Amino acid sequence: MIKPVSLCLLTGLTALALQGPLAAAETAPRTTLVLDASGSMWGQIDGVAKITIAKEVVGDLIRRLPDEMEVGLTVYGHRRKGDCNDIETLFAPAAHQKSDIVSSVNGISPKGKTPLSAAVLKAAEALKYTEEKASVILISDGEETCSLDPCAVARDLEQAGIDFAVHTVGFDVIDAETRRQLQCLAAETGGTFHSAHDAASLAKALNSIAEEKPAPERAHLDAPASAPAGAPVSVGWEGPAKEGDFLAFVERDGNADTLLSSADLREGSPLSVQAPPAPGPHDLIYVDYATGSVLARAPIDIQDVAASLSAPSVASAGGLIEISWQGPAGGGDYVTIARAGAPLPESGFYFDVAEGSPAQLQMPSAPGDYEIRYITNTDPRVILAHVPLTVEDVDLTLKAPASAKAGTSVKVLWNGTTNPKDYIAFALPGEPLPHVVSMAETGEGNPLSVPVPDTPGAYELRYFFAEGDRIVQRIPITVE
């Protein structure tokens, strides 16, 4: 896998329009260029090294800035391999040093790792981002390879900065996790995310960021202060409602890239969003799908919830039992039966809690130790309650004539389970399962009319459980 190739332009170019005449120098904030010189920059696009593409595009950008604009240069990964501390400020922000910066960029030879977050912090501090307006343009084809979390760093910079934003460009990014990381870095600071796959699209992305930026779109969320874990939460929202925009839960102070549950805005406002299964402080966010930007955020505490089940301790194989339950009743929550102690996602017969309480549950055909479970339809699913249950084999009988005429039908009396899909069949003795010559489902009546095979000979009448095609009783019958 190619390691991150990151070229970072930490700059406030929002007042510059690179497609036309350059704005006056006094309108441009101080700028620092941060260049990732990690070894992965030797990776190629269409036969050209990414470092070569970066040098050409960035060199052209720097040469077009006003001479009076204060520009600096920070580089990392250019001196040592495997060193997350290999970060060097080659030029402090100052005017009239563009040519020297371009010469230094052209002389870079990639070697090391990608301490991207630490380099962003170092350059932001050199820009005095806590005192003056500053912005960052980060170009990257990969993720942070050192210890810091880019999303956490972005939140800290946004909180401490004065009109501070990070704009990110995904350079030949394929990995979805890397893309989410770059989107998060922009979203947490009010910046924008762009994608580039070659020199032309990289230049276009830089120019797009450098042009006068319109005010960011805004959204508003109206959500309760708390909600039970796994329960549906009704959320009122206002926002641009562009295609793909959605609401999602994330852990507060956790990984902002990890979406715990989400809902598409097409269902309107208010919108039902499934609460996460784990209790604790969370945020509900409005996400602009196109850019990954978070347009609104509302804190919500997820509270621990409990569920309970009332069921018989013993049941007959293949039968029905009645179960009463209490729980959060989230959309898609269900009650099921599984082998005792089996981990999720094992599940057998089930019913949706939307059916109400009590409800009936079909039993498996095989006897043994099981448990009834209340399961939340969350990501991941959680077993909120479980009770043990023993499934015992049934004392099933069949009654039929000892013989029957070929091509007719025979009446069979039976006592078995309450599953109407169970069936009684003619089969040849000794034939492997689930060999069936003719059959009828028990739901069709008792006595049950079963078609007799056309070929005379010795047969068996077999009672099959529908689940698992298990034979639970058999008697001989001759077809004449």
Side-chain angles (χ1 to χ4, degrees):
M1 175 180 174
I2 295 177
K3 298 284 186 180
V5 174
S6 299
L7 168 65
C8 310
L9 254 174
L10 282 86
T11 179
L13 296 179
T14 55
L16 297 179
L18 296 183
Q19 301 288 356
L22 293 174
E26 59 269 16
T27 65
R30 303 168 75 236
T31 303
T32 296
L33 170 66
V34 177
L35 178 60
D36 182 341
S38 64
S40 58
M41 288 196 68
W42 291 117
Q44 295 188 350
I45 298 178
D46 296 331
V48 181
K50 293 180 182 180
I51 183 61
T52 301
I53 296 174
K55 288 177 179 180
E56 292 178 355
V57 174
V58 172
D60 180 64
L61 174 68
I62 294 297
R63 282 188 288 267
R64 296 172 67 186
L65 296 177
D67 290 336
E68 296 79 10
M69 185 174 178
E70 297 185 15
V71 182
L73 174 66
T74 296
V75 181
Y76 60 85
H78 61 300
R79 296 174 296 185
R80 298 179 294 276
K81 293 184 178 180
D83 186 357
C84 286
N85 295 316
D86 185 13
I87 304 171
E88 183 181 14
T89 299
L90 297 180
F91 293 91
H96 305 292
Q97 57 182 6
K98 293 192 303 175
S99 296
D100 293 336
I101 290 176
V102 172
S103 296
S104 293
V105 168
N106 289 334
I108 293 298
S109 179
K111 291 183 178 65
K113 299 196 71 165
T114 309
L116 183 139
S117 302
V120 168
L121 280 170
K122 187 178 182 69
E125 290 167 355
L127 287 167
K128 299 181 180 179
Y129 77 105
T130 61
E131 304 173 16
E132 303 175 8
K133 179 179 180 180
S135 63
V136 174
I137 297 178
L138 164 63
I139 306 170
S140 172
D141 82 337
E143 60 188 350
E144 167 79 47
T145 62
C146 293
S147 59
L148 295 180
D149 176 3
C151 290
V153 168
R155 286 193 291 270
D156 291 342
L157 289 171
E158 172 66 14
Q159 184 175 5
I162 302 296
D163 196 4
F164 181 77
V166 178
H167 305 287
T168 60
V169 179
F171 189 26
D172 196 34
V173 168
I174 299 176
D175 179 65
E177 179 61 28
T178 300
R179 182 183 181 92
R180 284 193 295 268
Q181 199 175 71
L182 294 175
Q183 289 175 334
C184 170
L185 191 59
E188 290 290 343
T189 59
T192 57
F193 169 79
H194 298 261
S195 183
H197 58 274
D198 55 19
S201 56
L202 178 59
K204 181 178 179 181
L206 288 174
N207 290 345
S208 177
I209 294 172
E211 292 174 356
E212 188 69 31
K213 185 168 70 78
E217 294 186 279
R218 300 294 181 185
H220 174 74
L221 297 176
D222 183 12
S226 63
V233 181
S234 180
V235 182
W237 60 269
E238 295 178 359
K242 293 182 295 185
E243 182 176 1
D245 288 3
F246 61 93
L247 304 187
F249 275 100
V250 296
E251 288 185 3
R252 195 178 311 156
D253 301 326
N255 186 349
D257 292 337
T258 303
L259 304 180
L260 303 177
S261 57
S262 62
D264 193 292
L265 299 181
R266 287 177 294 183
E267 297 182 11
S269 178
L271 182 65
S272 180
V273 188
Q274 192 89 10
H282 291 73
D283 283 339
L284 192 63
I285 58 176
Y286 182 116
V287 180
D288 182 318
Y289 177 77
T291 66
S293 300
V294 176
L295 302 186
R297 183 182 297 268
I300 181 169
D301 289 326
I302 303 303
Q303 300 173 340
D304 200 2
V305 296
S308 63
L309 295 164
S310 177
S313 60
V314 179
S316 296
L320 288 172
I321 64 171
E322 186 173 271
I323 298 175
S324 298
W325 60 268
Q326 289 184 331
D333 287 5
Y334 59 99
V335 173
T336 186
I337 185 168
R339 290 177 302 125
L344 289 172
E346 179 169 311
S347 178
F349 293 108
Y350 71 93
F351 63 81
D352 194 304
V353 299
E355 297 179 17
S357 177
Q360 290 190 320
L361 181 64
Q362 184 77 46
M363 293 293 98
S365 67
D369 293 328
Y370 293 83
E371 58 186 29
I372 307 298
R373 298 171 171 177
Y374 182 111
I375 298 179
T376 62
N377 184 33
T378 52
D379 187 12
R381 290 190 169 101
V382 174
I383 302 172
L384 284 188
H386 61 93
V387 294
L389 179 140
T390 299
V391 174
E392 297 181 339
D393 221 345
V394 296
D395 182 16
L396 188 145
T397 60
L398 291 175
K399 290 185 179 181
S403 62
K405 187 177 179 180
T408 62
S409 63
V410 63
K411 298 292 185 180
V412 181
L413 286 168
W414 57 273
N415 71 310
T417 70
T418 54
N419 187 351
K421 294 299 183 181
D422 287 354
Y423 57 99
I424 298 173
F426 275 90
L428 293 173
E431 285 287 334
L433 294 175
H435 179 77
V436 168
V437 178
S438 60
M439 52 86 68
E441 292 183 345
T442 58
E444 296 176 11
N446 192 3
L448 180 65
S449 181
V450 182
V452 178
D454 294 330
T455 303
Y459 290 85
E460 286 182 343
L461 278 171
R462 298 173 175 175
Y463 189 108
F464 285 85
F465 277 157
E467 193 256 337
D469 291 321
R470 175 181 172 235
I471 300 174
V472 289
Q473 185 59 275
R474 68 184 80 198
I475 59 174
I477 185 170
T478 301
V479 175
E480 299 174 340

